[in-house]
Each structure stands twice: as C-alpha cells, then as structure tokens.
Amino acid sequence: IEENYGNLKMEGILALVGSGNNGGDGLVALFYLAQQGWNTTAYIVRPRKPDDPLVNRLSEVGGKIKLVDDQKDYEPLRKLISEHAVLLDGILGTGIKLPLKEEIAEFLENVNDWLAQMENPPKVVAVDCPSGVDCESGEAAPQCIPADLTVTMAAVKTGLLQFPTYNLIGQMWLVDIGLEDESLSLPVWNSVKRNLAYREMIQAHIPARPFDAHKGTFGTAILVAGSLNYTGAALLAGEAAFRVGAGLITLAVPQPLHAAISGNFPESTWLLLPYESGVIDEAAVDVLLENMDRATAIMLGPGFGTKLPTEKFMQRFLHANKVVSNDGPSKLPLIIDADGLKLLTKIENWPQILPSNSVLTPHPGEMSVLTGLTVPEIQANRLEIAEKYAQEWDKVLVLKGANTVVASPDGRTTVIPIATPALARAGTGDVLSGLIVGLLAQGVEPFFAAVCGCWIHAKAGLIAAENLGTTASVLARDVLAAVIQVMGELNDGER
C-alpha cells in the first residue's frame, strides 16, 4: 500500500474489518501504516473478540476505531468511504463458501453502490482476496467489491487465476509470510509443485549466448507447416523461432507455398514437400526423414488443415518417428499444435506413439477434441484438466487461454499469470508454437521451453497492445515484433 499509494497517506485509509484472520491482517496493516504517518480508520463490520489486542494496538498509535451500527444505518460508513483515499477490504478471506449470508451480502452491495456513484472513489485494496470470492473455484458473489490491488499471502490461491474472480483482483501482489523457512519443515507446503511464471524464472532458462557461438550452437528447428489455405502459419512460426534465438530454421512446406512466402523470409532454408490439393501429402514423410539428421527439434501442425492426405502424412510420420534407431528422429523434441492436434485423434494409441519429450499446445476447443470433454468443463477446471492429461498422456501439455497452464507428466505445473484480449487473434498461436520450438532447438528441456515460450508470448501481447494503444488492433505480426522487446528485456545483462 505504501509503495503503490504512499502519496495518499494524508487523505487516509479506511479498512473494512471482519471478525476473522482476514480482518486481523487488515488491522495489522493499519498499525504499520499508522506508524508510517498514515491517517487510519478501522470500521469493524463483524464483531471481534472482546479486548482484541490488534484493535487495541491500532488505537494506541492513533488509529480510529468505528463499529457497525446495529440499526443498519450505513450513512456514517458512506461518509467515511468518501473521506478516505484508500479502502482496505478485510471482511472475508479464503475460507468462505457461496452464496453469501444475507446480512454480509447486503453490506457489500451497499458499499459497491456507493463506490459506483462516487466521482473519485477510493483505491480498493483486498486483503488476500476480494471479499466474496471462492478462492478454490474462482466463483464470485455478485456483491463482491472489485479491487485495484490484491495483496495475497504466501501463495496465489488457484481461484484468483480463474474467471470471474480474475476480473475482480486488479493488480496482484504476492507477499512472503515465512512459509519457505526451511526450519518450519512444512510437508504440505513443500509438496506443492504449482508455480506462477515470473521474469527471473524465465531468465534462468533462456540459453546463454557465448561470444564464440556459431549458428550450430543454437540448434536447428524444422517446422512442418502450412497449406494453400493457410500460407501465413509457417512464416509466423518460423520467424518466432528465429527471434527466440534458434540458429537455423528450415520451413518444410507444400511446394507451392515456397514461391508465395520465401521472399518474406530470406533467412530460412526450405524443404519443399509433396502435396495434394494444396496440402501436405503422405509422400512428404520420405523427404522429412532424409533431411532430419541435423535437426534438434521439430514442429508439426500450424496451417495443416485436416484433409485426408495430411492425415495420412501424420500417421505415417509419427509411426516412423517412433520406430527409427536411437540416434534418429525419435530423440528429437517435438511440438504439435493447431490442426496437428486434431489429426492426432485419428491415430490409434497416439499417446504411446509420440516421443516422450513431446509438447502439445491445445486451446480449449482443441483440448475438447482430444479429450471428449466440453469446453465449459475444461474452462471450469483448467489446472486439474491440464495436470490430469499431462500425466495420462505422458507429455508436456500447454492449455492455452487466459492464464495459460503448462503441465508436465512429472507433476510440475506453471501458470502464466497474464490474460489479454490482444492475443485473441488468428496467427498468435503460430507465433507461440514457433517460440517453443525455437527454445527446444536450443536444448531447453520441454517443460521449460513451453513455460518460457508462453511467458514471452504473453508479455509480447501486452507490449503490442501498449504500443498500439488498443488490444483490438493487435495482429499476430505485432506480437511477433514485440517478442524482440521482450527478449531484449530478458537479456539486459548481455554485452
């Protein structure tokens, strides 16, 4: 609060204090803010225990204490809210279940109405979570007060990353409360394998760029993509793979696409594939297998379409990829995206056929095709669904969408805590698959190649929208251009 709103300390902060630990956290915050010169007021919404030491301590440093009116005369509270620049929501915490009790629902509804009517409402800071949200499911009471800032304790609650709650939390800050102290030895805490992606995590897994490097140092990615109906997919993915640092990119495309797109991508090498009716033909398998000796990663799927010739290509290639010798393409990390995922469902026992170091990148619609679940079922349980199928299929699974989930068969899960409509545009998925295969080609292990690719992609979406001044006008190539800025920021220390 001091860091975000310290310039408002003389205008003051009003805390709405509940009866439990959430209210206690609010009182502790007011105590420290009062010591730093803030004008502080605690409004006790629900009775606390007699002679509460937290209330007494706040009073001793000059904090004002107000009690809710038993007659439900909320006018004094309305006046208090209008007189303070910051409103601290410390009423309900992580343990509540919906629906709310009538009394508290009425109280929150009144506060919401007053805030909506104010010309300059106070900044709202939620303690751990906005009051009235289910921190497990992400459901939210209609009376929930939207926050400008949510300060959550120890770990991000899974419900805060789900909708509609994600729309209510504003900026989210995670604060440490000491649970990582090894002396505590908390088995439940230590068993958690879910993480949020953050800048330092990504920096730790971006490959180094030694001065004596050559293009072979940074690997070779083969991108099998495209059809006459979807010419741009290969181009977007290929450039993304280069921009994330891969040394050599080979675009394997139906032969007619070369003339259409090669002039826009002079840095690439090319494999011209046999085709039928504008799509990759089964005979392309032979061309690929003859040219994979130098590859360090391969991508399948963007722009494929789902016609029969490409379906046969996928079946034959993946079976061949499975049975070749140990120094052959079965050792290559593989990413499958877009129409490639839909074609997987045509192959019997496809999880057993795919190499174990494969990465699958479905959006919810493609995940529905792969699993038979409905999109609403998937969206309601994104974490659990991603983790379940990553382990069942023994593959790294990227469940795309707002707050993308990356799950590994070994139980590790990382959520990308970014949601922006800037990425709700055709072609942005091709950029993402290109980023991931570019990292795979450089030797980044599949799980972290997926995590880093998703984080860079999401950050690039935010930057593209900021550069254009709107999310509505962002095109996939704007996201691609913004990748350069993200990579530059990740490599601040690069000489």
Side-chain angles (χ1 to χ4, degrees), residues 21 48 58 73 113 121 132 139 141 162 171 186 197 233 319 343 374 392 420 452 466 474 482 494:
N21 291 335
R48 298 187 64 81
L58 174 60
D73 178 8
D113 288 344
E139 295 177 273
Q162 301 193 60
Q171 182 187 7
L186 299 173
H319 278 91
L343 294 175
T374 66
E392 185 174 309
T420 172
C452 293
E466 183 179 356
V474 173
E494 185 178 77

Side-chain angles (χ1 to χ4, degrees), residues 6 18 35 38 64 83 115 152 178 194 202 204 214 261 270 303 306 321 325 332 338 372 407 413 439 477 482 486 491:
Q35 288 188 319
W38 279 73
K64 303 180 189 70
E83 293 171 348
L115 292 172
T152 197
R194 289 174 172 171
I202 306 306
H214 52 83
I261 64 177
W270 301 84
T306 56
N321 196 37
S325 62
L332 290 180
T413 303
L439 291 164
R477 59 178 177 265
V486 178
N491 290 284

Side-chain angles (χ1 to χ4, degrees), residues 229-473:
N229 288 337
Y230 306 104
T231 58
L235 196 60
L236 290 166
E239 186 171 340
F242 261 142
R243 293 297 189 187
V244 83
L248 182 65
I249 302 300
T250 297
L251 292 189
V253 299
Q255 187 172 352
L257 265 65
H258 178 261
I261 64 177
S262 59
N264 295 313
F265 200 12
E267 297 87 354
S268 178
T269 60
W270 301 84
L271 277 179
L272 305 186
L273 302 179
Y275 67 98
E276 181 182 336
S277 303
V279 302
I280 295 173
D281 184 61
E282 181 181 1
V285 173
D286 299 322
V287 177
L288 273 177
L289 293 179
E290 290 171 4
N291 289 277
M292 291 176 64
D293 55 326
R294 294 184 181 179
T296 54
I298 188 165
M299 181 193 79
L300 298 172
F304 267 14
T306 56
K307 292 184 178 179
L308 185 60
T310 309
E311 178 185 328
K312 292 181 177 179
F313 159 78
M314 280 282 288
Q315 291 179 343
R316 185 179 163 202
F317 177 75
L318 291 177
H319 278 91
N321 196 37
K322 180 67 177 175
V323 300
V324 293
S325 62
N326 285 338
D327 58 353
S330 68
K331 287 292 185 181
L332 290 180
L334 171 68
I335 173 174
I336 301 182
D337 184 34
D339 291 330
L341 295 166
K342 297 175 185 176
L343 294 175
L344 277 184
T345 63
K346 309 288 186 179
I347 303 173
E348 188 174 356
N349 296 322
W350 63 264
Q352 287 72 45
I353 294 169
L354 288 182
S356 60
N357 52 356
S358 299
V359 179
L360 309 179
T361 57
H363 59 55
E366 292 158 348
M367 191 66 177
S368 177
V369 174
L370 288 167
T371 63
L373 300 171
T374 66
V375 170
E377 287 173 329
I378 292 167
Q379 292 295 77
N381 298 282
R382 288 173 56 82
L383 270 171
E384 292 79 6
I385 293 293
E387 290 169 340
K388 175 181 185 292
Y389 284 97
Q391 294 180 44
E392 185 174 309
W393 295 335
D394 192 31
K395 307 293 179 285
V396 172
L397 180 63
V398 176
L399 182 53
K400 296 188 291 192
N403 301 318
T404 290
V405 180
V406 184
S408 172
D410 62 14
R412 291 174 295 167
T413 303
T414 296
V415 178
I416 314 300
I418 300 172
T420 172
L423 296 174
R425 187 60 55 88
T428 58
D430 303 322
V431 174
L432 174 59
S433 56
L435 293 172
I436 295 174
V437 76
L439 291 164
L440 289 171
Q442 295 173 75
V444 181
E445 67 122 333
F447 176 70
F448 277 112
V451 169
C452 293
C454 289
W455 189 90
I456 292 167
H457 181 252
K459 283 289 186 181
L462 294 177
I463 290 172
E466 183 179 356
N467 290 342
L468 295 175
T470 174
T471 60
S473 298

